[in-house]
């Protein structure tokens, strides 16, 4: 496909962002619900996979839009970074600052290290420390992973355009580099930064890079072949992807054993970081951009678009001080879930989106990949 033939915007993938956020929300809200059968509780306890879905989506969307950009092309790294900043940072900074101020004014014993936590949060360095990564807006540790991918993506594209070998070899080199960083911090420990290999593999870009690269590979194939790639008569990628996701969740729940999550099992880590994106998320995304079915229609609907565009706000709001304030009214998920969704839509419409338009370098229609 030529660049002019490439669709810039995939409505179904915008709606899919809401699904990813809901998985994370259910993971935090419902995994201890004693009303469910025990094995179903174990499956819900694996719904942190929504974060992995976000990573694969990011790999696909950033590659689809910027693959031809980077060193050696007519590409402004400054504009690229400004657009990435506009998408992620302003609403996060506001919510992280509000979290800090609310805890400062309403906490009877304000921790002495809270200013340090705040500075590590707003600098997005907190996600590299096993001591601090769950402090503040706890789920925002994933932003450190995303932002490092954004910084490296143009240089990764440059290497992959030169030789497709890098698409396979580079993630393993990145993991090896992460192991070297862990070794460095065992010699020079610093506030839990890269404290051990387990943390690096589960919570940093160096360990999670395979998820981004699977999304990247999918985008490169789509840019080259469009919907004709791997198209078979009667085969449905959307529902095969859903089947792969269900199978991986069941495997993770089975591997959980006495551990808190299946991800903590070495085999579970491999399933989560590679098999799930490869046989679950990748075919699901491919199906959503090349097929017509009821799921595509719902995710592409007006409601799906609004919910998808507000999913980042939902992800940031659903835990922390905002959750605590709402849970004072009721801690029942039947109340918290719709309340959080309504709040996130309000925050997206009147705070996040206006700030995104203000800071964005390229003015125009906002999209999932923008």
């Amino acid at each position: 496909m030529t660049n002019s033939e490439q669709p810039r915007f995939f409505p179904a993938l915008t709606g899919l962002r809401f699904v990813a956020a809901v998985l994370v929300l259910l993971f935090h809200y419902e995994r201890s619900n004693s009303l469910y059968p025990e094995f179903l509780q174990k499956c819900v306890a694996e719904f942190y996979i929504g974060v992995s879905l976000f990573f694969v989506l990011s790999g696909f969307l950033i590659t689809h839009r910027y693959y031809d950009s980077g060193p050696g092309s007519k590409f402004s790294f400054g504009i690229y970074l400004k657009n990435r900043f506009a998408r992620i940072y302003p609403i996060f900074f506001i919510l992280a600052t509000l979290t800090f101020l609310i805890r400062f004014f309403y906490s009877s014993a304000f921790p002495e290290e809270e200013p340090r936590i705040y500075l590590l949060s707003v600098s997005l360095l907190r996600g590299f420390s096993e001591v601090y990564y769950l402090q503040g807006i706890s789920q925002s540790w994933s932003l450190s992973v995303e932002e490092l991918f954004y910084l490296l993506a143009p240089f990764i594209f440059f290497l992959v355009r030169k030789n497709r070998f890098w698409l396979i070899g580079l993630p393993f080199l990145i993991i090896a580099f992460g192991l070297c960083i862990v070794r460095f911090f065992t010699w020079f420990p610093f506030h839990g930064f890269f404290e051990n290999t387990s943390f690096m593999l589960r919570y940093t870009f160096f360990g999670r890079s395979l998820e981004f690269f699977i999304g990247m590979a999918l985008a490169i194939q789509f840019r080259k072949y469009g919907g004709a790639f791997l198209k078979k008569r009667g085969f449905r990628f959307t529902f095969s992807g859903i089947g792969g996701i269900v199978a991986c969740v069941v495997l993770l729940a089975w591997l959980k054993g006495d551990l808190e999550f299946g991800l903590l099992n070495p085999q579970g880590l491999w399933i989560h970081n590679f098999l799930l994106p490869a046989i679950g998320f990748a075919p699901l995304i491919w199906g959503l951009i090349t097929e017509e079915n009821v799921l595509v229609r719902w995710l592409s609907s007006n409601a799906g678009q609004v919910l998808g565009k507000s999913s980042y706000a939902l992800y940031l709001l659903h835990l922390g001080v905002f959750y605590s304030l709402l849970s004072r009214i009721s801690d029942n998920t039947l109340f918290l879930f719709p309340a959080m969704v309504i709040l996130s839509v309000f925050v997206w419409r009147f705070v996040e989106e206006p700030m995104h338009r203000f800071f964005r370098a390229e003015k125009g229609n906002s999209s999932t990949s923008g």
Side-chain angles (χ1 to χ4, degrees):
M1 298 177 71
T2 64
N3 288 342
S4 61
E5 294 172 332
Q6 294 288 336
R8 185 178 177 86
F9 178 52
F10 301 98
L13 298 190
T14 297
L16 187 62
R17 289 168 51 193
F18 177 69
V19 175
V22 168
L23 287 173
V24 178
L25 185 147
L26 291 175
F27 162 67
H28 287 128
Y29 286 7
E30 285 291 301
R31 58 194 171 107
S32 299
N33 195 324
S34 59
L35 297 177
Y36 299 158
E38 182 180 357
F39 189 72
L40 184 55
Q41 292 181 49
K42 289 184 177 181
C43 288
V44 174
E46 305 303 324
F47 280 7
Y48 52 79
I49 64 169
V51 175
S52 180
L53 178 52
F54 276 126
F55 291 164
V56 179
L57 271 171
S58 288
F60 176 86
L61 292 167
I62 295 298
T63 304
H64 177 72
R65 180 164 183 184
Y66 293 106
Y67 181 66
D68 293 327
S69 306
S73 67
K74 294 179 180 180
F75 171 70
S76 170
F77 192 64
I79 291 177
Y80 166 81
L81 287 183
K82 188 173 183 179
N83 288 337
R84 306 283 25 100
F85 170 89
R87 169 61 65 191
I88 294 292
Y89 194 76
I91 185 62
F92 166 71
F93 178 82
I94 289 173
L95 295 179
T97 302
L98 283 175
T99 297
F100 174 82
L101 293 174
I102 291 171
R103 290 172 64 168
F104 177 79
F105 286 110
Y106 289 95
S107 176
S108 58
F110 189 70
E112 291 183 4
E113 63 176 6
E114 193 72 15
R116 178 189 299 160
I117 293 171
Y118 173 71
L119 291 176
L120 289 173
S121 292
V122 297
S123 64
L124 297 178
L125 294 175
R126 180 173 53 84
F128 299 112
S129 168
E130 190 170 24
V131 174
Y132 295 114
Y133 79 108
L134 292 180
Q135 300 297 316
I137 301 177
S138 61
Q139 64 275 25
S140 66
W141 63 267
S142 64
L143 299 189
S144 299
V145 182
E146 288 270 3
E147 288 296 332
L148 189 51
F149 169 66
Y150 292 159
L151 284 171
L152 296 176
F155 304 99
I156 295 172
F157 298 156
F158 174 76
L159 291 174
V160 174
R161 289 199 309 270
K162 292 291 185 183
N163 191 327
R164 289 290 176 87
F165 161 78
W166 290 112
L167 196 60
I168 300 174
L170 196 55
F172 296 99
L173 290 177
I174 291 172
I175 292 172
F177 186 67
L179 292 172
C180 293
I181 298 176
V182 171
R183 174 60 65 180
F184 174 84
F185 279 101
T186 58
W187 296 332
F188 305 99
F190 183 75
H191 298 291
F193 275 69
F194 290 90
E195 193 160 82
N196 54 65
T197 300
S198 176
F199 174 79
M200 183 274 292
L201 290 173
R202 291 173 173 86
Y203 296 104
T204 74
F205 171 75
F206 302 95
R208 306 295 294 266
S209 58
L210 276 169
E211 293 150 275
F212 292 96
F213 273 81
I214 287 171
M216 289 170 56
L218 198 68
I220 290 170
Q221 294 306 317
F222 182 80
R223 289 171 60 87
K224 186 174 182 179
Y225 299 106
F229 179 67
L230 292 180
K231 190 172 185 178
K232 295 181 179 180
R233 186 180 299 275
F235 190 80
R236 296 292 180 264
F237 284 96
T238 302
F239 299 107
S240 68
I242 292 172
I245 294 167
V246 171
C248 288
V249 168
V250 170
L251 277 173
L252 288 168
W254 178 68
L255 288 169
K256 179 177 181 290
D258 295 329
L259 300 170
E260 189 175 3
F261 313 116
L263 177 64
L264 300 177
N265 183 302
Q267 290 78 23
L269 178 64
W270 179 81
I271 290 169
H272 177 269
N273 285 17
F274 174 72
L275 190 64
L276 172 64
I279 71 168
F281 298 145
L284 173 63
I285 291 170
W286 189 266
L288 292 178
I289 63 177
T290 61
E291 297 173 352
E292 284 290 336
N293 54 58
V294 63
L295 184 59
V296 171
R297 287 191 292 273
W298 186 86
L299 293 175
S300 303
S301 67
N302 290 337
Q305 297 306 285
V306 170
L307 293 173
K309 291 174 181 178
S310 63
S311 62
Y312 179 47
L314 178 62
Y315 180 74
L316 292 177
L317 288 165
H318 81 274
L319 281 186
V321 295
F322 307 98
Y323 165 83
S324 299
L325 292 172
L326 279 176
S327 63
R328 291 182 181 182
I329 302 173
S330 172
D331 61 358
N332 190 308
T333 304
L334 294 177
F335 164 76
L336 286 174
F337 180 85
M340 280 294 178
V341 170
I342 292 170
L343 177 62
S344 67
V345 170
F346 179 87
V347 169
W348 162 72
R349 179 65 180 84
F350 296 105
V351 182
E352 179 186 354
E353 188 63 13
M355 295 193 69
H356 176 228
R357 289 196 300 266
F358 178 79
F359 284 105
R360 186 175 170 80
E362 297 172 352
K363 305 302 180 183
N365 185 41
S366 173
S367 72
T368 302
S369 60

